[in-house]
Amino acid sequence: MAPGAPSSSPSPILAALLFSSLVLSPAQAIVVYTDKEVYGAVGSRVTLHCSFWSSEWVSDDISFTWRYQPEGGRDAISIFHYAKGQPYIDEVGTFKERIQWVGDPQWKDGSIVIHNLDYSDNGTFTCDVKNPPDIVGKTSQVTLYVFEKVPTRYGVVLGAVIGGVLGVVLLVLLLFYVVRYCWLRRQAALQRRLSAMEKGKLHKPGKDTSKRGRQSTDHKEHPQSP
């Protein structure tokens, strides 16, 4: 560049193309949802729910992958895979005969059921979803806790939450009806008062006329002496 020439700067068109290639890429971020924690009793079954949001229609090439990391373990292993419309249960690990596919890709559901729970099933399960061309996004994790029986506190908390919600709804309805009842009574009382005032206005002139008539009659019957 010759001395004194102005320094070059990126072309606005080039910057716009770079922005569109980074931001408006065909592969948008996919969002996966699972529960944070689930609880189960030994010998029972539990459903691991997995759903997702995607900017694309559900693809024929959609896939779901479940991985399991034991409690206290470092490595996660694949235990289930769904692709090309078919579920595949990995032939390794302790889940190979205890997993059931209950999802429905058309409803964006990739849930599985684990039967015959055992203490050794405690750990973290990860759901990963790919819906080409929407393949970029974070996985979601759910932690499974297996007990001899489901903790009472879990049921109590759930019952308390449901009871609290119902209580609030009933309280709101009660307040609504009380306020409505008071308003209606006030309107009725006001209406009665207005009606009484209207009747009073109509009767008052009649009373005055009658009084004046009686006074005139008295004067005629008892004229004053000269």
Side-chain angles (χ1 to χ4, degrees):
M1 181 173 62
S7 59
S8 61
S9 60
S11 169
I13 297 178
L14 180 60
L17 290 175
L18 180 61
F19 175 82
S20 63
S21 65
L22 293 176
V23 178
L24 304 180
S25 174
Q28 303 294 328
I30 190 170
V31 184
V32 182
Y33 304 95
T34 62
D35 296 319
K36 185 177 181 181
E37 297 176 348
V38 292
Y39 301 84
V42 173
S44 67
R45 66 180 183 179
V46 69
T47 301
L48 302 181
H49 296 282
C50 177
S51 58
F52 69 94
W53 177 90
S54 174
S55 59
E56 302 289 337
W57 292 97
V58 176
S59 170
D60 292 336
D61 296 325
I62 188 172
S63 66
F64 297 89
T65 301
W66 280 94
R67 297 182 179 86
Y68 167 68
Q69 182 178 352
E71 186 177 31
R74 294 183 178 180
D75 299 325
I77 60 173
S78 175
I79 59 173
F80 177 85
H81 188 68
Y82 177 94
K84 300 295 183 180
Q86 296 294 327
Y88 299 94
I89 300 175
D90 291 65
E91 294 298 326
V92 294
T94 60
F95 298 102
K96 61 182 180 180
E97 296 178 352
R98 298 190 291 134
I99 293 181
Q100 178 186 358
W101 164 252
V102 293
D104 186 345
Q106 296 304 317
W107 290 93
K108 299 183 177 181
D109 183 6
S111 304
I112 60 174
V113 172
I114 299 179
H115 295 269
N116 195 22
L117 291 175
D118 190 76
Y119 292 116
S120 60
D121 297 335
N122 285 321
T124 302
F125 294 79
T126 302
C127 181
D128 187 16
V129 184
K130 306 295 183 187
N131 184 40
D134 197 354
I135 59 174
V136 179
K138 292 184 178 181
T139 60
S140 186
Q141 296 181 336
V142 53
T143 302
L144 171 63
Y145 296 97
V146 180
F147 300 90
E148 183 177 354
K149 59 181 181 179
V150 177
T152 303
R153 61 181 182 86
Y154 179 72
V156 170
V157 170
L158 181 60
V161 170
I162 296 175
V165 171
L166 292 177
V168 170
V169 171
L170 291 175
L171 180 60
V172 170
L173 289 175
L174 179 61
L175 289 175
F176 170 79
Y177 282 110
V178 169
V179 171
R180 186 171 182 269
Y181 175 75
C182 293
W183 182 81
L184 289 175
R185 286 196 60 182
R186 183 175 181 181
Q187 290 295 110
L190 181 60
Q191 187 65 32
R192 288 195 298 269
R193 186 178 302 175
L194 291 175
S195 298
M197 292 175 64
E198 290 293 333
K199 290 180 180 179
K201 290 180 180 178
L202 292 175
H203 291 169
K204 188 173 181 180
K207 292 181 178 178
D208 293 342
T209 303
S210 178
K211 184 176 181 181
R212 285 195 299 269
R214 286 197 301 271
Q215 290 177 351
S216 176
T217 302
D218 292 340
H219 283 295
K220 290 179 180 180
E221 293 178 352
H222 306 284
Q224 295 181 358
S225 58

